[in-house]
Amino acid sequence: MDAADTVMNRVKPIAFAGVETLSFRQLDELNGLGKGSSFKLFKTHLSALKEDSDYFYVSGDAHPQLLAELKKSEQVYLGSVHLVLLSRAGYEKLQQLSKSVPTQKK
C-alpha cells in the first residue's frame, strides 16, 4: 500500500466524475499542514498536472448542492466558492513533485 492509498483510506473521499478525490482541506488536515498549504503546493506545480485526470475544477455555480453538502460535512473549507479536487493520481504526482523541489536556505 502506497502513501496515496493510506491517505485515501483515512478519510472519506469525495466522489466526483466517477473518481475518488480529496479536497485541499482534507489534504491539509491529513498532512498536518496549515490552511492553504496544499493549495499553494498545487499552484506551484499546476503546469505539471492535468485537469480532469489529476484534478477536477468544480465551479460552485455549476454544483451548488455538492458544495453545500461538502461544507456541511466539513470536507471543504467553509469559505470555498469553487473547488479543486485531487484524484489519487494527482495526489501521488503532487507528492513526488513536492519532493523534487529544493528547499531554500535562510
Side-chain angles (χ1 to χ4, degrees), residues 85-96:
L85 301 173
L86 266 75
S87 66
R88 180 186 311 267
Y91 179 61
E92 289 173 348
K93 193 178 285 186
L94 200 56
Q95 283 185 311
Q96 290 302 317

Side-chain angles (χ1 to χ4, degrees), residues 16 51 56-63 66-67 81-85:
F16 186 80
E51 188 170 1
F56 298 89
Y57 173 77
V58 183
S59 167
D61 296 331
H63 300 277
L66 174 63
L67 184 60
V81 176
H82 305 289
L83 300 174
V84 173
L85 301 173

Side-chain angles (χ1 to χ4, degrees), residues 4 13 15 18 22 32 50-51 57 69 76 81 91-92 97-99 106:
L22 295 173
K50 295 180 184 170
E51 188 170 1
Y57 173 77
E69 289 171 6
V76 300
V81 176
Y91 179 61
E92 289 173 348
L97 291 166
S98 68
K99 292 176 185 175
K106 293 183 179 182

Side-chain angles (χ1 to χ4, degrees), residues 5-20:
D5 285 328
T6 301
V7 167
M8 296 297 253
N9 290 329
R10 287 179 27 208
V11 297
K12 179 182 175 188
I14 299 165
F16 186 80
V19 178
E20 288 187 340

